[in-house]
Amino acid sequence: MANLEKTLREIHKVLRATWRCYDVDTEHCDKAGVGDAVRQRALCTDLTIVGPALLNETSLGPLVINGSLFDSGKPVLVVPEGAEATLSPRRVLVGWDSRVGASRSIREALHLLAGAEEVRVAVVDPEATCTGHGAEPGADIAAYLTRHGARVGVDRLASRGKPVATVLAQHAIDTSADVIVMGAYGSRWLRGRLSGSVIRWIVGTPLPLFLAR
């Protein structure tokens, strides 16, 4: 309780300095109730931000992300240790696989994408992931983003046996992206609830992840 009170005072101090309207709430619940407590608050927000302190709490991080992402229908910005969170990124990498989750993540992130200097749409193994979506995988979503004012390029990547998430993370680094936008439903590596392996990947990724489902 003493640590909680100390944290609350620090949060109030930071928020007061922004001269914005804000509210700080606390919830006392057992582990089983964490997801529902987060869900109730996420329902009344535009975006849930999960920082490195929670991600490093292996007993709480997955519960918070699952509660906010899978149970609320609202997007989540996950910020691993060392990553710089921003809602005004200059360069954005979009993971695209022609699935509902990817489409929804783009719709939720339109304000970020339209304001960015550059958006790279990355399609990994397009022959396998984007069948039935035209001869130019990624061109359809690039046209959609262009109509919303985004400056878009398409990168078609080969996984060469590597996990899709690993390929996207490396390409984001190679293209100097500030954030990765991707769907959290439908991808083989991120299907259903977040597993320990996915959390470890998120923690090890040096960039913020904008996720939606």
Coordinates of all heavy atoms in Angstrom, one line a residue, residues 121-165:
V121 N 4.1 -0.4 -45.6 CA 3.3 -1.6 -45.5 C 4.1 -2.8 -45.8 O 4.6 -3.0 -46.9 CB 2.1 -1.5 -46.4 CG1 1.2 -2.8 -46.3 CG2 1.2 -0.3 -46.1
A122 N 4.3 -3.7 -44.8 CA 5.1 -4.9 -44.9 C 4.2 -6.1 -45.0 O 3.4 -6.4 -44.2 CB 6.1 -5.0 -43.7
V123 N 4.4 -6.9 -46.1 CA 3.7 -8.1 -46.3 C 4.8 -9.2 -46.3 O 5.7 -9.3 -47.2 CB 3.0 -8.1 -47.7 CG1 2.1 -9.4 -47.8 CG2 2.1 -6.9 -47.8
V124 N 4.6 -10.1 -45.4 CA 5.6 -11.2 -45.2 C 5.0 -12.5 -45.9 O 3.9 -12.9 -45.7 CB 5.9 -11.6 -43.8 CG1 6.9 -12.7 -43.6 CG2 6.4 -10.3 -43.0
D125 N 5.8 -13.1 -46.8 CA 5.4 -14.2 -47.6 C 4.0 -14.0 -48.2 O 3.1 -14.7 -48.0 CB 5.4 -15.5 -46.7 CG 6.7 -15.9 -46.2 OD1 7.7 -15.5 -46.8 OD2 6.8 -16.5 -45.1
P126 N 3.9 -13.0 -49.1 CA 2.6 -12.6 -49.6 C 1.8 -13.7 -50.3 O 0.6 -13.7 -50.3 CB 2.9 -11.4 -50.6 CG 4.4 -11.6 -50.9 CD 5.0 -12.1 -49.7
E127 N 2.6 -14.6 -51.0 CA 1.9 -15.7 -51.7 C 1.0 -16.5 -50.7 O 0.0 -17.1 -51.1 CB 2.9 -16.6 -52.4 CG 3.6 -15.9 -53.5 CD 4.8 -15.1 -53.0 OE1 5.1 -15.1 -51.8 OE2 5.4 -14.3 -53.8
A128 N 1.5 -16.6 -49.5 CA 0.8 -17.5 -48.5 C -0.2 -16.7 -47.7 O -1.2 -17.3 -47.3 CB 1.8 -18.1 -47.6
T129 N 0.0 -15.4 -47.5 CA -0.8 -14.7 -46.6 C -1.9 -13.8 -47.2 O -2.8 -13.4 -46.6 CB 0.1 -13.8 -45.7 OG1 0.8 -12.9 -46.5 CG2 1.0 -14.6 -44.9
C130 N -1.7 -13.5 -48.5 CA -2.6 -12.5 -49.2 C -3.2 -13.1 -50.4 O -3.5 -12.4 -51.4 CB -1.8 -11.2 -49.5 SG -1.3 -10.3 -48.1
T131 N -3.4 -14.4 -50.5 CA -4.1 -15.0 -51.6 C -5.5 -14.4 -51.8 O -6.2 -14.2 -50.9 CB -4.1 -16.5 -51.5 OG1 -4.8 -16.8 -50.3 CG2 -2.7 -17.1 -51.5
G132 N -5.9 -14.2 -53.0 CA -7.2 -13.7 -53.3 C -7.4 -12.2 -53.2 O -8.5 -11.7 -53.2
H133 N -6.2 -11.5 -53.0 CA -6.3 -10.1 -52.8 C -5.5 -9.3 -53.9 O -4.9 -8.3 -53.6 CB -5.8 -9.7 -51.4 CG -6.7 -10.2 -50.3 ND1 -7.7 -9.4 -49.8 CD2 -6.8 -11.4 -49.7 CE1 -8.4 -10.1 -48.8 NE2 -7.8 -11.3 -48.8
G134 N -5.6 -9.8 -55.1 CA -5.0 -9.1 -56.2 C -3.6 -9.6 -56.5 O -2.9 -10.3 -55.7
A135 N -3.1 -9.2 -57.7 CA -1.8 -9.6 -58.1 C -0.7 -8.8 -57.4 O 0.5 -9.2 -57.4 CB -1.6 -9.3 -59.6
E136 N -1.0 -7.7 -56.8 CA 0.0 -6.9 -56.1 C -0.4 -6.9 -54.6 O -1.1 -6.0 -54.1 CB 0.0 -5.5 -56.6 CG 0.3 -5.4 -58.1 CD 1.8 -5.3 -58.3 OE1 2.5 -4.9 -57.4 OE2 2.3 -5.6 -59.4
P137 N 0.1 -7.9 -53.8 CA -0.3 -7.9 -52.4 C 0.2 -6.6 -51.7 O 1.3 -6.1 -51.8 CB 0.5 -9.1 -51.8 CG 0.7 -10.0 -53.0 CD 0.9 -9.0 -54.2
G138 N -0.7 -6.0 -50.9 CA -0.4 -4.8 -50.2 C -0.9 -3.5 -50.9 O -1.0 -2.5 -50.3
A139 N -1.1 -3.7 -52.3 CA -1.5 -2.5 -53.0 C -2.8 -2.0 -52.7 O -3.1 -0.8 -52.7 CB -1.4 -2.8 -54.5
D140 N -3.7 -2.9 -52.3 CA -5.1 -2.5 -51.9 C -5.1 -1.6 -50.7 O -5.8 -0.6 -50.6 CB -6.0 -3.7 -51.8 CG -5.4 -4.8 -50.9 OD1 -4.3 -4.6 -50.4 OD2 -6.1 -5.8 -50.8
I141 N -4.4 -2.1 -49.6 CA -4.4 -1.3 -48.4 C -3.6 0.0 -48.5 O -3.9 1.0 -47.9 CB -3.9 -2.2 -47.2 CG1 -4.3 -1.5 -45.9 CG2 -2.4 -2.4 -47.3 CD1 -5.8 -1.4 -45.6
A142 N -2.6 -0.1 -49.4 CA -1.8 1.1 -49.7 C -2.7 2.2 -50.3 O -2.6 3.4 -50.0 CB -0.6 0.8 -50.5
A143 N -3.5 1.8 -51.2 CA -4.4 2.7 -51.9 C -5.4 3.3 -50.9 O -5.7 4.5 -50.9 CB -5.2 2.0 -53.0
Y144 N -5.9 2.5 -50.0 CA -6.8 2.9 -48.9 C -6.1 4.0 -48.0 O -6.7 5.1 -47.8 CB -7.2 1.8 -48.1 CG -8.0 2.1 -46.8 CD1 -9.3 2.5 -46.8 CD2 -7.3 2.1 -45.6 CE1 -10.0 2.8 -45.6 CE2 -7.9 2.4 -44.4 CZ -9.3 2.8 -44.4 OH -9.9 3.1 -43.2
L145 N -4.9 3.7 -47.6 CA -4.2 4.7 -46.8 C -3.9 6.0 -47.5 O -3.9 7.1 -47.0 CB -2.9 4.0 -46.3 CG -3.1 3.0 -45.2 CD1 -1.8 2.2 -45.0 CD2 -3.6 3.6 -43.9
T146 N -3.5 5.8 -48.8 CA -3.3 7.0 -49.6 C -4.5 7.9 -49.7 O -4.4 9.2 -49.6 CB -2.8 6.6 -51.0 OG1 -1.6 5.8 -50.9 CG2 -2.6 7.9 -51.9
R147 N -5.7 7.3 -49.8 CA -6.9 8.1 -49.9 C -7.1 8.9 -48.6 O -7.8 9.9 -48.5 CB -8.1 7.2 -50.2 CG -8.1 6.7 -51.6 CD -9.5 6.2 -52.0 NE -9.8 4.9 -51.2 CZ -9.4 3.7 -51.7 NH1 -8.8 3.6 -52.8 NH2 -9.7 2.6 -50.9
H148 N -6.5 8.4 -47.5 CA -6.6 9.1 -46.2 C -5.4 10.0 -45.9 O -5.3 10.5 -44.8 CB -6.7 8.1 -45.1 CG -8.1 7.5 -45.0 ND1 -9.2 8.1 -44.3 CD2 -8.6 6.3 -45.5 CE1 -10.2 7.3 -44.4 NE2 -10.0 6.3 -45.1
G149 N -4.6 10.3 -46.9 CA -3.6 11.3 -46.8 C -2.2 10.7 -46.4 O -1.3 11.5 -46.2
A150 N -2.1 9.4 -46.2 CA -0.8 8.8 -45.8 C 0.1 8.7 -47.0 O -0.3 8.5 -48.1 CB -1.0 7.5 -45.2
R151 N 1.4 8.8 -46.7 CA 2.5 8.6 -47.7 C 3.0 7.2 -47.6 O 3.7 6.9 -46.6 CB 3.5 9.7 -47.5 CG 3.1 11.1 -47.9 CD 4.0 12.2 -47.4 NE 3.9 12.4 -45.9 CZ 2.9 13.1 -45.4 NH1 2.0 13.7 -46.1 NH2 2.9 13.2 -44.1
V152 N 2.7 6.3 -48.5 CA 2.8 4.9 -48.3 C 3.7 4.2 -49.3 O 3.7 4.6 -50.5 CB 1.4 4.2 -48.4 CG1 1.5 2.8 -48.0 CG2 0.4 5.0 -47.6
G153 N 4.4 3.3 -48.9 CA 5.2 2.4 -49.7 C 4.9 0.9 -49.3 O 4.6 0.7 -48.1
V154 N 5.1 0.0 -50.2 CA 4.8 -1.4 -49.8 C 6.1 -2.2 -49.9 O 6.9 -2.1 -50.9 CB 3.8 -2.0 -50.8 CG1 3.6 -3.5 -50.5 CG2 2.5 -1.2 -50.7
D155 N 6.4 -3.0 -48.9 CA 7.6 -3.9 -48.9 C 7.1 -5.3 -48.8 O 6.4 -5.7 -47.8 CB 8.5 -3.6 -47.7 CG 9.0 -2.2 -47.7 OD1 9.3 -1.7 -48.8 OD2 9.0 -1.5 -46.7
R156 N 7.5 -6.2 -49.8 CA 7.1 -7.6 -49.7 C 8.3 -8.4 -49.3 O 9.4 -8.3 -50.0 CB 6.6 -8.0 -51.1 CG 5.4 -7.2 -51.5 CD 4.9 -7.5 -52.9 NE 3.7 -6.7 -53.3 CZ 3.8 -5.5 -53.9 NH1 5.0 -5.1 -54.3 NH2 2.7 -4.8 -54.2
L157 N 8.2 -9.1 -48.2 CA 9.3 -9.7 -47.5 C 9.2 -11.2 -47.5 O 8.1 -11.7 -47.4 CB 9.5 -9.2 -46.1 CG 9.4 -7.6 -45.9 CD1 9.4 -7.3 -44.4 CD2 10.6 -7.0 -46.6
A158 N 10.3 -11.9 -47.5 CA 10.3 -13.3 -47.4 C 10.8 -13.7 -46.0 O 11.8 -13.1 -45.5 CB 11.3 -13.9 -48.4
S159 N 10.1 -14.6 -45.4 CA 10.4 -15.0 -44.0 C 11.7 -15.8 -43.9 O 12.4 -15.8 -42.9 CB 9.2 -15.7 -43.3 OG 9.0 -16.9 -44.0
R160 N 11.9 -16.7 -44.9 CA 13.0 -17.6 -45.0 C 13.1 -18.4 -43.7 O 14.1 -18.7 -43.1 CB 14.3 -16.9 -45.2 CG 14.4 -16.1 -46.5 CD 15.8 -15.5 -46.7 NE 15.9 -15.0 -48.1 CZ 15.6 -13.8 -48.4 NH1 15.1 -13.0 -47.5 NH2 15.7 -13.4 -49.7
G161 N 11.9 -18.9 -43.3 CA 11.8 -19.8 -42.1 C 11.7 -19.1 -40.8 O 11.6 -19.7 -39.8
K162 N 11.9 -17.8 -40.8 CA 11.8 -17.0 -39.5 C 10.4 -16.7 -39.1 O 9.5 -16.6 -40.0 CB 12.6 -15.7 -39.6 CG 14.1 -15.9 -39.8 CD 14.8 -14.6 -39.9 CE 16.3 -14.8 -40.2 NZ 17.0 -13.4 -40.4
P163 N 10.1 -16.5 -37.8 CA 8.7 -16.1 -37.5 C 8.4 -14.8 -38.1 O 9.3 -13.9 -38.2 CB 8.8 -16.0 -35.9 CG 10.0 -16.9 -35.6 CD 10.9 -16.8 -36.7
V164 N 7.1 -14.6 -38.4 CA 6.7 -13.4 -39.0 C 7.0 -12.2 -38.1 O 7.4 -11.1 -38.6 CB 5.2 -13.4 -39.3 CG1 4.6 -12.1 -39.8 CG2 4.9 -14.5 -40.4
A165 N 6.8 -12.3 -36.8 CA 7.0 -11.2 -35.9 C 8.5 -10.8 -35.9 O 8.8 -9.6 -35.8 CB 6.6 -11.7 -34.5

